[in-house]
Amino acid sequence: MKKSICIVGLGYIGLPTAVMFANHGHKVHGVDINESVVESIRNKQLHIEENGLQERLDEAIDSNMFTVSTTPVKADVFILAVPSPISEDKTANLEYIRSASKAIAPFVEKGNLVILESTVPPRTVQDVVIPELIPTGLEIGTDLFVSHSPERVIPGRVFEELISNDRIIGGVNEESAKMTSDLYRSFVKGQMHETDDTTAELVKVMENTYRDVNIALANELAKLSATIGVNVWEAIRLANFHPRVNIHQPGPGVGGHCIAVDPWFLVELNPEIAKIINLSRKTNDGMPAYTADLLTTILQAKGIETNEAKVAVLGLAFKGNIDDMRESPSIDVVEELQKRALNAVAFDPHIKKNNLEIQTQNMDEALEGAEAAIILTSHDEFKNLNPAQIADKMNRKIIIDTKQCIDREKWQAAGFEVYVLGDSKNSPM
């Protein structure tokens, strides 16, 4: 049965989810507190970058199955897909969740389903969402059904994974879980795994914590490898041939709204227990400083005066081929370079608006007169960059590749010195 759905939050998860439901026969109303976002969507203009989103948005609006505004409307189903960031003290900021829950309360009616999609600390449904729904007077689990079904997609492949990935469905009771599973079967081909809401909350945070801890291991191995004459990328590749080993890749830090944030939810629950998780977060948060030190050491070894030396920063998004800067370690690397009195100029082909004072929309401007260029994001534009086209622009032909994304031999053949994070077998220093 087709439903009317009100989705609160039209960002990287909410908007793709909204158009998927609209494209599959449900009447969807999207809500966002940002008026400019609402106006852009209404005019079929994207405020985020995602493969296949434009076509799906056009179809959803042209078919009159998708409308948007800054306020909720009555519906059969309410989906909350708002941010759940961390505060400066590394504790969860759940005010967006609380505000969204409170905003829909006046529109909720008997028989409705409320789904929280945002990734949150365990017990958020019980301690934040439900208390805001209590004033409706509806009995939770009998009159009003509530569940948590966390998104499990990656930017750049959102639609592919919305369809194919299994979903965790955590209901406050069995009926809530069943109603949620039935709804997502509109387009999800993956399996539905039903459980309770708090378990579902923990599962999503566990998934991202596993990856964060694994990346911290890779980063420690990268640091060790650099001291013993080993290329960590080759060592990891070989280790992963073991059928029970899957070591992740090192890099300049961990970004994105999930992996860099969610582990702190568990640390906050009990810091005395979550010691490995805490240390892993600190290890990964320390990589931007390590990366800046690596660059400074290379320049100094070449006799280059680092004070006000220009460095081209290539990549600001936290991941290749997307425009998402949330929690991007590139931002922290830039700050660390500035602390070392380096003149950083940044370019990212996927981020069309300057979000930093040192950002430019012209790669040549970033490279012109630079003593070195440091690649922080593995965009295809950087992987496929022709070294001959930029050789004359830079003051020195020095490339630091923190993602192992360029062909070192090709760049060395063009006269560049190439340094790779975690590989002591670089060009002679």
Side-chain angles (χ1 to χ4, degrees):
M1 176 184 289
K2 301 305 180 183
K3 303 288 186 179
S4 59
I5 304 173
C6 179
I7 297 184
V8 182
L10 297 175
Y12 286 91
I13 298 302
L15 182 57
T17 301
V19 299
M20 280 297 284
F21 277 119
N23 293 163
H24 287 79
H26 300 278
K27 185 69 174 178
V28 180
H29 182 76
V31 179
D32 202 286
I33 60 173
N34 189 324
E35 292 184 4
S36 65
V37 167
V38 170
E39 189 61 25
S40 294
I41 295 172
R42 188 176 287 136
N43 293 320
K44 295 188 286 189
Q45 297 173 348
L46 295 180
H47 64 289
I48 58 175
E49 181 181 280
E50 180 57 47
N51 295 330
L53 178 55
Q54 185 66 66
E55 301 94 307
R56 288 176 170 87
L57 175 62
D58 291 348
E59 178 186 342
I61 292 180
D62 290 344
S63 65
N64 294 318
M65 297 301 288
F66 183 38
T67 57
V68 290
S69 75
T70 57
T71 55
V73 297
K74 289 185 178 182
D76 300 318
V77 180
F78 294 84
I79 297 177
L80 309 182
V82 296
S84 51
I86 53 171
S87 305
E88 289 187 10
D89 64 356
K90 306 302 183 182
T91 59
N93 177 357
L94 300 177
E95 287 310 305
Y96 293 101
I97 308 291
R98 195 183 314 278
S99 296
S101 303
K102 186 175 183 178
I104 66 171
F107 301 91
V108 168
E109 297 178 334
K110 185 176 181 178
N112 284 173
L113 171 65
V114 176
I115 303 170
L116 176 64
E117 274 216 11
S118 310
T119 303
V120 292
R123 289 201 56 82
T124 298
V125 167
Q126 294 293 328
D127 298 341
V128 178
V129 176
I130 289 178
E132 296 296 338
L133 298 176
I134 292 297
T136 64
L138 299 172
E139 184 176 346
I140 304 299
T142 303
D143 299 326
L144 180 60
F145 303 92
V146 182
S147 68
H148 175 55
S149 181
E151 54 83 11
R152 305 172 92 196
V153 298
I154 191 169
R157 297 179 56 189
V158 166
F159 290 105
E160 176 184 340
E161 297 200 348
L162 274 176
I163 295 170
S164 62
N165 287 0
D166 289 5
R167 290 199 77 104
I168 305 300
I169 308 292
V172 297
N173 60 2
E174 289 185 7
E175 183 62 22
S176 296
K178 181 180 183 301
M179 290 174 66
T180 304
S181 294
D182 290 344
L183 177 71
Y184 282 106
R185 285 194 182 96
S186 301
F187 59 82
V188 175
K189 295 181 179 178
Q191 293 185 29
M192 305 293 173
H193 303 279
E194 296 182 6
T195 183
D196 65 88
D197 51 305
T198 304
T199 299
E201 291 167 332
L202 179 60
V203 167
K204 176 57 191 292
V205 177
M206 284 172 58
E207 292 169 354
N208 288 328
T209 299
Y210 162 79
R211 297 179 65 196
D212 192 51
V213 172
N214 198 320
I215 294 169
L217 171 63
N219 282 329
E220 284 197 357
L221 293 173
K223 293 178 181 179
L224 288 170
S225 296
T227 68
I228 59 173
V230 171
N231 178 348
V232 74
W233 302 86
E234 174 69 359
I236 290 174
R237 185 183 72 84
L238 294 172
N240 284 347
F241 282 116
H242 190 290
R244 292 177 294 281
V245 172
N246 179 28
I247 301 173
H248 291 3
Q249 295 182 337
V254 173
H257 185 59
C258 290
I259 301 179
V261 173
D262 299 352
W264 289 119
F265 296 162
L266 299 182
V267 174
E268 183 182 353
L269 287 178
N270 194 321
E272 287 303 310
I273 293 177
K275 291 181 178 179
I276 292 175
I277 300 169
N278 195 354
L279 180 58
S280 297
R281 270 285 71 238
K282 291 177 178 178
T283 296
N284 289 333
D285 280 352
M287 288 307 293
Y290 177 84
T291 301
D293 285 340
L294 173 65
L295 187 151
T296 303
T297 300
I298 292 170
L299 294 182
Q300 291 174 342
K302 290 296 176 182
I304 299 172
E305 177 58 50
T306 56
N307 188 42
E308 294 302 316
K310 182 178 180 181
V311 176
V313 174
L314 302 182
L316 291 172
F318 81 85
K319 177 180 175 290
N321 302 322
I322 65 171
D323 67 344
D324 194 344
M325 289 177 62
R326 291 178 296 174
E327 309 297 330
S328 175
S330 298
I331 310 304
D332 295 323
V333 172
V334 167
E335 291 179 358
E336 293 293 340
L337 294 176
Q338 292 174 326
K339 287 180 184 178
R340 292 155 180 76
L342 288 160
N343 175 23
V345 181
F347 168 74
D348 191 302
H350 290 262
I351 299 172
K352 307 302 183 182
K353 181 179 71 173
N354 287 355
N355 296 288
L356 304 175
E357 289 184 7
I358 52 85
Q359 187 178 351
T360 176
Q361 294 297 315
N362 188 312
M363 183 163 61
D364 288 349
E365 184 178 336
L367 293 167
E368 191 67 42
E371 302 293 342
I374 182 166
I375 300 174
L376 299 177
T377 310
S378 56
H379 292 314
D380 287 345
E381 289 86 345
F382 300 149
K383 293 179 182 179
N384 301 324
L385 194 60
N386 185 349
Q389 292 179 337
I390 70 169
D392 294 336
K393 294 180 175 62
M394 298 178 64
N395 191 39
R396 307 249 188 167
K397 297 179 182 179
I398 298 175
I399 298 286
I400 296 94
D401 181 3
T402 69
K403 306 295 287 186
Q404 203 199 29
C405 68
I406 63 173
D407 185 334
R408 180 188 299 186
E409 292 184 0
K410 182 174 75 172
W411 283 77
Q412 288 176 329
F416 280 84
E417 296 181 56
V418 181
Y419 300 85
V420 180
L421 186 149
D423 183 5
S424 62
K425 298 177 180 179
N426 290 307
S427 301
M429 296 181 68

